[in-house]
């Protein structure tokens, strides 16, 4: 893949909520719209492409075969097709966007990253921010859980897999192991974090990077869904553990923190667009935003980093 800097998208769910969709409290979150309103998802993908995103992430973070069966009443094979549709929608949007882009702009074709969230996202109890479930599950159970989702994303033709907001080492190890079963696909592995040294489970980010870099298929490792000021010290803490052929991927929140009991809490901080210059200097080649980050923020990020289309 092109080693130059790539701009990711922002919060898909944030944009959907801004359009009037009620997602909070839904165990499928934005993935429900794959079933009820796929055009709304395409519209958000398109807005991020217009804002300058080089990578768009599928609406499958909280999508699972078991979840679709349980909450939509689908048969397993229908649930698999629903998962696949997340990639198909994104790829359709890229084709439509490129067909409307003037050839004079010489725009590179955006990539589609198939999103894989942590097991805790399915539990819908906030445990993706603690990883507490890891103690009750074996490595094989975690592998068995993630395999069907990754299989669908690969089958659908995702350009790479985004394994994101992972809170613990055991789950990261499981994902690295499952990835080996699909040797043709590339991926990034991104952790959630609790402070400037540790991922959400309490283990060090340095250890997490070491586990991730056991994979020969990773293009990047990093952090997402965290306050932006944590990023620089986290990357600094683990720079000796990152392999040279793996870059950093970074996409924090806008400046708000999620509390499972009360919702979003605003915390005043420096804009992540300004902080992104530090991340680029540290070697991050995949930079974007997560929760509460919209297309305008991505445009500002691209301008801050002086990235050409």
């Amino acid at each position: 893949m092109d080693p130059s800097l790539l701009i990711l998208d922002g919060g898909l769910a944030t944009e959907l909520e801004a359009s009037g969709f009620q997602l909070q409290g839904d165990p499928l979150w934005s993935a429900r719209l794959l079933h009820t309103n796929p055009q709304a998802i395409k519209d958000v993908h398109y807005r991020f492409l217009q804002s300058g995103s080089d990578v768009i992430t599928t609406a499958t973070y909280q999508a699972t075969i078991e979840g679709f069966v349980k909450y939509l009443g689908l048969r397993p094979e229908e649930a698999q097709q629903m998962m696949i549709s997340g990639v198909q929608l994104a790829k359709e949007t890229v084709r439509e966007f490129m067909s409307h882009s003037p050839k004079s702009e010489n725009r590179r074709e955006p990539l589609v990253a198939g999103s894989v969230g942590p097991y805790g996202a399915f539990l819908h109890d906030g445990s993706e921010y603690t990883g507490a479930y890891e103690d009750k599950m074996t490595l094989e159970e975690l592998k068995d859980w993630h395999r069907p989702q990754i299989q669908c994303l690969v089958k659908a033709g995702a350009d790479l897999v985004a394994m994101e907001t992972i809170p613990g080492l055991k789950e990261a190890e499981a994902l690295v192991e499952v990835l080996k079963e699909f040797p043709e696909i590339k991926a990034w592995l991104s952790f959630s974090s609790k402070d400037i040294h540790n991922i959400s489970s309490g283990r060090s980010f340095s250890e997490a990077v070491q586990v991730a870099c056991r994979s020969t298929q990773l293009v990047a490792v990093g952090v997402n869904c965290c306050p932006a000021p944590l990023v620089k010290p986290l990357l600094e803490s683990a720079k000796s553990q990152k392999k040279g052929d793996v870059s950093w991927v970074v996409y924090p929140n806008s400046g708000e923190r999620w509390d499972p009991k009360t919702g979003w809490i605003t915390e005043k901080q420096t804009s992540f667009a300004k902080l992104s210059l530090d991340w680029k200097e540290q070697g991050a080649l995949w930079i974007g935003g997560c929760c509460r980050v919209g297309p305008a923020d991505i445009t500002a990020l691209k301008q801050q980093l002086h990235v050409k289309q």
Side-chain angles (χ1 to χ4, degrees):
M1 289 187 180
D2 188 344
S4 61
L5 179 63
L6 292 167
I7 300 296
L8 311 184
D9 55 8
L12 179 75
T14 300
E15 274 300 285
L16 289 169
E17 287 178 328
S19 300
F21 294 97
Q22 298 297 316
L23 305 180
Q24 296 301 337
D26 190 324
L28 293 176
W29 205 34
S30 54
R32 183 176 293 276
L33 272 71
L34 291 171
H35 182 64
T36 60
N37 197 332
Q39 185 60 46
I41 291 172
K42 289 183 69 174
D43 291 345
V44 172
H45 285 326
Y46 203 93
R47 289 201 289 276
F48 277 118
L49 290 172
Q50 286 179 312
S51 75
S53 294
D54 301 307
V55 184
I56 54 172
T57 309
T58 59
T60 52
Y61 171 81
Q62 212 147 313
T64 62
I65 307 306
E66 188 175 330
F68 283 146
V69 169
K70 182 176 181 180
Y71 298 113
L72 295 179
L74 301 180
R75 296 192 302 273
E77 59 272 20
E78 293 173 325
Q80 290 170 3
Q81 189 53 47
M82 188 65 60
M83 193 84 188
I84 287 169
S85 75
V87 176
Q88 292 172 334
L89 288 174
K91 292 182 85 72
E92 284 169 17
T93 309
V94 167
R95 284 195 296 271
E96 289 167 16
F97 176 76
M98 292 302 290
S99 71
H100 291 106
S101 296
K103 287 189 167 49
S104 58
E105 287 184 4
N106 202 23
R107 174 79 182 251
R108 64 176 141 195
E109 183 159 332
L111 301 174
V112 170
S115 174
V116 175
Y119 177 68
F122 166 75
L123 296 177
H124 193 55
D125 59 1
S127 59
E128 70 262 43
Y129 301 110
T130 65
Y133 51 87
E134 279 196 339
D135 295 337
K136 303 166 190 169
M137 299 180 75
T138 65
L139 186 69
E140 288 303 316
E141 284 172 332
L142 283 165
K143 286 170 64 176
D144 289 346
W145 170 258
H146 282 293
R147 186 177 293 108
Q149 283 73 245
I150 293 176
Q151 187 171 27
C152 286
L153 296 171
V154 173
K155 180 180 178 182
D159 295 305
L160 71 162
V161 172
M163 305 177 292
E164 48 188 4
T165 328
I166 305 304
L169 296 186
K170 188 189 288 186
E171 190 160 19
E173 187 178 351
L175 286 163
V176 165
E177 288 292 314
V178 171
L179 203 59
K180 290 179 186 175
E181 300 171 20
F182 307 93
E184 72 279 16
I185 196 72
K186 296 293 186 183
W188 77 61
L189 178 50
S190 177
F191 295 89
S192 58
S193 60
K194 62 187 295 185
D195 56 43
I196 61 172
H197 297 294
N198 302 298
I199 60 174
S200 294
S201 66
R203 301 294 291 271
S204 74
F205 180 59
S206 181
E207 287 179 281
V209 170
Q210 199 167 12
V211 168
C213 285
R214 291 176 191 166
S215 172
T216 59
Q217 294 166 252
L218 289 195
V219 296
V221 61
V223 289
N224 74 291
C225 203
C226 65
L230 297 187
V231 174
K232 183 178 180 180
L234 279 165
L235 300 191
E236 183 66 27
S237 74
K239 64 181 181 182
S240 64
Q241 302 300 329
K242 184 177 70 64
K243 293 192 301 186
D245 60 346
V246 176
S247 61
W248 292 122
V249 58
V250 172
Y251 49 118
N253 297 335
S254 67
E256 292 166 287
R257 177 172 57 84
W258 173 255
D259 184 300
K261 295 179 181 175
T262 59
W264 288 102
I265 300 171
T266 301
E267 297 175 330
K268 189 169 177 59
Q269 60 185 39
T270 309
S271 101
F272 81 90
K274 290 182 180 177
L275 293 172
S276 68
L277 291 169
D278 290 331
W279 313 331
K280 181 181 178 183
E281 197 172 300
Q282 289 176 286
L285 292 181
W286 304 72
I287 301 177
C290 197
C291 301
R292 320 303 277 183
V293 174
D297 300 307
I298 295 301
T299 299
L301 176 68
K302 196 143 190 165
Q303 291 171 344
Q304 185 77 55
L305 295 170
H306 305 295
V307 179
K308 294 179 181 178
Q309 298 287 16

